[in-house]
């Protein structure tokens, strides 16, 4: 197997737990619309496919009008942008793992369906921005995961071939994007997966981010 030369990370549910800030922004929008509030568990089931899909799922679940989706998404993005990192936290072991990977000399990237500006805000607020050589947001390209284009853009920026890269995510769209791009895939067993982790089709599953290190060390020496 070709030695590993780059790691690509999903953001929400993989590096950071952003559910509370997303819930707060969603509920602020719903309150403006006179709709019921959604629970944290409900929001977690809606996360992963970009802001528009989150808003659509929330509106449908609470009996709102999907025909107004473009207007509602725009309003949601304004609400969320102002408070995207109030309660968002890195998962246990994430900063230490990223530091160890950088010591190995591996270029790192984030490929997320979250808007780019909110992604940068979160990474900077958590002190994680400096670990990443490139960041591809959900609005960087017309396509989003599970389309391979965002993953391929990150690899092009890093100067690494797909077969020498590994994608780490928590959901089906991460694994599908990796597969479509010709990249190896690893999934965490926490996060916001919409299906059982064993059914995601990843090459490996890890329970915590530090569990990634022995996998990486073995693959870089392959």
């Amino acid at each position: 197997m070709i030695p590993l030369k780059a790691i690509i990370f999903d953001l929400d549910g993989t590096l950071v737990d952003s559910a509370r800030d997303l819930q707060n922004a969603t509920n602020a929008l719903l309150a403006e619309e006179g709709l019921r509030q959604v629970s944290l568990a409900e929001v977690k089931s809606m996360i992963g496919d970009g802001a528009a899909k989150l808003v659509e799922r929330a509106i449908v679940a609470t009996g709102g009008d999907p025909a107004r989706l473009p207007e509602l998404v725009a309003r949601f993005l304004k609400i969320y942008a102002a408070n995207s990192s109030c309660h968002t936290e890195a998962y246990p072991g994430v900063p230490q793992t990223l530091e160890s990977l950088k010591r190995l000399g591996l270029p790192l990237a984030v490929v997320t369906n979250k808007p780019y500006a909110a992604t940068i805000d979160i990474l900077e607020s958590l002190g994680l921005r400096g670990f990443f050589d490139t960041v591809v947001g959900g609005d960087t390209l017309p396509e989003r995961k599970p389309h391979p284009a965002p993953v391929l853009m990150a690899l092009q920026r890093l100067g690494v071939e797909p077969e020498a890269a590994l994608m780490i995510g928590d959901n089906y769209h991460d694994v599908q994007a990796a597969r479509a791009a010709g990249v190896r895939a690893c999934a965490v067993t926490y996060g916001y997966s919409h299906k059982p982790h064993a059914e995601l089709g990843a090459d490996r599953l890890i329970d915590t981010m530090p569990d990634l290190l022995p996998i990486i060390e073995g693959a870089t020496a392959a």
Side-chain angles (χ1 to χ4, degrees):
M1 184 176 288
I2 295 175
L4 204 55
K5 295 181 180 178
I7 315 294
I8 300 172
F9 291 91
D10 170 52
L11 184 68
D12 296 309
T14 301
L15 293 175
V16 305
D17 183 357
S18 55
R20 278 193 63 195
D21 284 323
L22 288 166
Q23 180 195 20
N24 288 344
T26 301
N27 279 335
L29 175 70
L30 294 174
E32 291 181 358
E33 294 297 306
L35 300 171
R36 73 167 178 86
Q37 303 286 276
V38 290
S39 69
L40 189 61
E42 283 180 289
V43 168
K44 287 182 177 180
S45 74
M46 299 171 181
I47 296 172
D49 298 298
K53 203 67 181 177
L54 170 60
V55 173
E56 179 185 351
R57 288 166 176 158
I59 292 299
V60 170
T62 57
D65 182 6
R68 294 179 53 230
L69 196 58
E71 169 195 349
L72 296 174
V73 171
R75 178 60 186 147
F76 171 84
L77 289 173
K78 288 183 179 178
I79 296 170
Y80 183 61
N83 299 280
S84 62
S85 57
C86 295
H87 302 288
T88 294
E89 299 177 337
Y91 283 108
V94 164
Q96 298 88 342
T97 301
L98 294 175
E99 192 172 326
S100 295
L101 292 174
K102 291 305 283 187
R103 280 201 299 268
L104 290 173
L106 287 168
L108 307 179
V110 168
V111 175
T112 175
N113 284 342
K114 183 186 289 295
Y116 179 82
T119 299
I120 295 299
D121 181 59
I122 288 170
L123 292 174
E124 289 182 345
S125 71
L126 296 177
L128 302 179
R129 178 64 184 93
F131 290 116
F132 297 102
D133 300 273
T134 191
V135 175
V136 179
D139 51 0
T140 302
L141 292 169
E143 304 86 4
R144 297 190 316 249
K145 296 177 297 182
H147 196 284
V151 175
L152 293 172
M153 170 177 271
L155 291 173
Q156 182 180 32
R157 290 177 176 178
L158 297 177
V160 173
E161 294 299 315
E163 57 269 23
L166 173 68
M167 174 91 195
I168 316 297
D170 71 309
N171 218 324
Y172 66 93
H173 57 254
D174 300 312
V175 176
Q176 288 178 1
R179 292 284 181 241
V183 171
R184 285 169 264 182
C186 180
V188 299
T189 57
Y190 51 88
Y192 317 131
S193 182
H194 297 169
K195 59 172 65 177
H197 295 99
E199 297 177 12
L200 296 179
D203 298 303
R204 300 286 293 270
L205 296 176
I206 56 173
D207 296 323
T208 69
M209 191 56 70
D211 293 341
L212 181 64
L213 288 174
I215 296 173
I216 300 301
E217 290 166 354
T220 53

